[in-house]
Amino acid sequence: MTLAEGPFLGVGRSVSGRAWATRAAAPELVRRHQNALGLSEPLARALASRGVGPDEGEVFLNPTLKALFPDPSSFRDMDRAAEILVDALERGRSMVVFADYDVDGAASAAQVVRWMRAMGREVPIYIPDRVKEGYGPNPVVFRALKDQGAEIVITLDCGAAAQDALATAREIGLDVVVIDHHLMRPGEIPPAAALVNPNRPDDNSGQGMLAAAGVAFVLLAALNREARRRGLFATRPEPDLRQWLDLAALGAVCDVTALTGFNRAITAQGLKVMSRWANPGLKALADVGKVSGTATTFHAGFILGPRINAGGRIGRSDLGARLLSTDDPDEAAALAAQLDELNGQRKAVEQSVIDEAVARIEADPQIAEAPVLVVAAPGWAPGVIGIVAGRLRERFRRPAIVIGIDLAAGVGKGSGRSQPGVNLGAAVQAAFDEGLLLSGGGHAMAAGLSIRPERIAEFTNFLAMRLGEDQARAAEADVLEIDALITPKGADRSLLDAFARLAPFGPGNPEPVFAAASVRVERPMVMRGGHVRATLTDSAGGRLKAVAWRAEETPLGQLLQGGGVLHLAGRLRPDDWQGRASVELEIEDAADPRRSDAG
């Protein structure tokens, strides 16, 4: 990002408090992409601004597994994991899949279960209860699985930091194969039979951006290779791994991983597979979510994913994994209906917590002005506090931690979301090391913790001292980067389709942001759900539909409801209502051009 040439459209402070800036791109690289790929200047500039080098444009625009698939052996312990699991398959050893309760865990589990099923084995899935058992494996569960006859446990999207559980597994003779992607501390490699994690300190695969579902997909390739080496495909067909790319893509999108390199290829190709809706669970979920046709990251991340997650948040934790692994359309339909109902309940619970959290923040300047928002209350459901923290982070433009207090147990469970430049996970880990927390950790952008309620104020002060300067710098750098200037008349489907060549969008490849200068906001209306809709017009007679989601009570929504002439910024979406092939602008930010710092 750069403000070297002045703020874009002169917006030095928008209604969200940000400056606008042109997304930075080297002019020479822009010209190279134009000439080599035959792109328009705005599209070539968008490509260059995303760090795509002069010889990388073709692969970026057409990411394939053939070009980007890593050697499975480059992952530490991958070959060992494949040997253990194929050997267990041949010898008939009892296996259990143990996965996290979120989408990434469910998608990872379904891939392994489906590969085993293709090889003639049905492997049960164990998903821990979010409230009763918490995240990841523990000694009690491992002992119970061993007592029930399990000889091998495959942990997916968890286990890399489960020192106590894995030590117990070794003691009782339970072999554990860990497939994970979470950050690990240097020197802390737990005693697993095999531990595959591109983010373990001694892994040299260079695939640290992968979700667990991506690591699981590479595991399937290693399993195929090992089974082929042993001659297991002499009497049965080799599983075609491409059929499960939809699951790998689902995990990548819903776990908000960087969509670069191999992970981009997984997502791009996986969305094509998803678009065939051959997985009965995804098809049933798409039906209840009213999704059809071409699948996008939006469908995966905002329609399918939240429904799968709803089971782990407020219902039964195993529903998502069961849905994604079943081949029975009737069972899939029943599970999808149950998850859809739970998702509706989750939304109501979530909105209630958001409303209460916002009220607490706005009523207490000490909370509102802190570098990190820390808000706590009794009874807030552990399954929604992470979502609420993300909403608060978006609304108040600073890191946020939401803590639900269990008064009977005398413990608060918290979840936090951060902003670029503020390493929240490291700060939470430091607070744990200082003895302020019962447990805590995470990564730069997200963290989880448990705490005694009486120590919340001390913890808040600790974060302010540790992160105050980082947050101030991050706030100064909190710039909305603009890819191109549009007009209501010129914003059409051809423009949207041209920039869609940059998809799939996500971290590492942000969706293009467009700005419209001095457009008139006509007929603003508040819709059910607090959304604000309007029509944008320009002097050339152009008209463009626009919407600001959940904005009614926000400064953005209030500015839009006043109508008049504004600078607007947001993302273009297709508008196919009643057969029209048009577009609408999803408004993210706005500025009044009459203000001195807004043009």
Side-chain angles (χ1 to χ4, degrees), residues 62-331:
N62 300 288
T64 64
L65 294 179
K66 182 178 180 180
L68 296 166
F69 206 107
D71 180 358
S73 298
S74 66
F75 291 74
R76 186 65 179 258
D77 272 8
M78 182 69 83
D79 291 340
R80 175 64 179 150
E83 290 171 3
I84 292 170
L85 297 180
V86 175
D87 186 64
L89 186 69
E90 284 193 292
R91 293 168 53 192
R93 298 183 71 196
S94 175
M95 293 180 280
V96 173
V97 163
F98 183 109
D100 189 19
Y101 35 65
D102 68 358
V103 175
D104 194 24
S108 302
Q111 289 181 74
V112 173
V113 166
R114 287 182 172 280
W115 188 88
M116 290 290 180
R117 185 180 296 152
M119 297 298 289
R121 284 285 300 277
E122 198 65 40
V123 179
I125 300 174
Y126 186 96
I127 310 291
D129 183 274
R130 186 185 206 115
V131 176
K132 296 178 182 178
E133 298 175 278
Y135 168 80
N138 62 68
V140 174
V141 171
F142 274 179
R143 289 185 186 278
L145 292 175
K146 176 69 174 178
D147 291 343
Q148 293 164 18
E151 297 175 86
I152 294 178
V153 173
I154 310 160
T155 71
L156 293 150
D157 195 28
C158 58
Q163 295 279 355
D164 292 343
L166 290 169
T168 297
R170 172 168 286 186
E171 291 173 10
I172 63 178
L174 181 66
D175 291 335
V176 181
V177 173
V178 175
I179 308 296
D180 205 347
H181 72 125
H182 291 98
L183 297 177
M184 299 175 64
R185 287 184 173 184
E188 291 190 1
I189 307 298
L195 195 158
V196 183
N197 182 348
N199 285 307
R200 63 181 280 178
D202 55 349
D203 184 274
N204 297 314
S205 66
Q207 300 296 328
M209 81 294 290
L210 292 177
V215 183
F217 190 75
V218 178
L219 172 68
L220 301 191
L223 291 172
N224 262 9
R225 185 170 66 181
E226 180 63 17
R228 191 184 312 119
R229 186 182 69 81
R230 299 189 187 203
L232 298 189
F233 300 133
T235 57
R236 62 161 36 95
E238 182 172 331
D240 183 354
L241 305 185
R242 293 173 296 181
Q243 65 185 307
W244 301 315
L245 270 169
D246 51 1
L247 297 171
L250 185 68
V253 172
C254 293
D255 226 50
V256 200
T257 56
L259 300 186
T260 58
F262 172 53
N263 207 31
R264 177 174 168 79
I266 284 178
T267 307
Q269 301 304 321
L271 289 172
K272 293 178 183 178
V273 174
M274 190 183 295
S275 298
R276 297 199 287 267
W277 303 110
N279 181 297
L282 288 177
K283 175 63 167 64
L285 211 57
D287 288 343
V288 299
K290 297 180 173 56
V291 175
S292 61
T294 302
T296 66
T297 53
F298 174 79
H299 296 134
F302 293 95
I303 298 179
L304 305 178
R307 287 170 168 81
I308 296 170
N309 271 333
R313 294 192 185 283
I314 61 172
R316 286 184 50 186
S317 58
D318 65 344
L319 294 178
R322 288 170 54 197
L323 176 81
L324 297 180
S325 58
T326 185
D327 286 325
D328 182 344
D330 292 335
E331 181 186 16

Side-chain angles (χ1 to χ4, degrees), residues 571-594:
R571 295 166 176 82
L572 291 176
R573 293 277 185 266
D575 176 18
D576 297 322
W577 177 250
Q578 295 183 334
R580 67 169 66 95
S582 186
V583 299
E584 73 172 2
L585 181 70
E586 286 190 354
I587 302 171
E588 178 178 337
D589 205 357
D592 187 338
R594 294 168 297 183

Side-chain angles (χ1 to χ4, degrees), residues 2 8 61 71 73 105 156 162 176 243 254 257 316 345-346 377 396 444 476 536 549 553 573:
T2 177
F8 189 86
L61 294 176
D71 180 358
S73 298
L156 293 150
V176 181
Q243 65 185 307
C254 293
T257 56
R316 286 184 50 186
Q345 297 173 24
R346 187 271 305 169
F396 294 98
E476 190 174 332
L536 312 180
W549 302 113
E553 301 296 332
R573 293 277 185 266

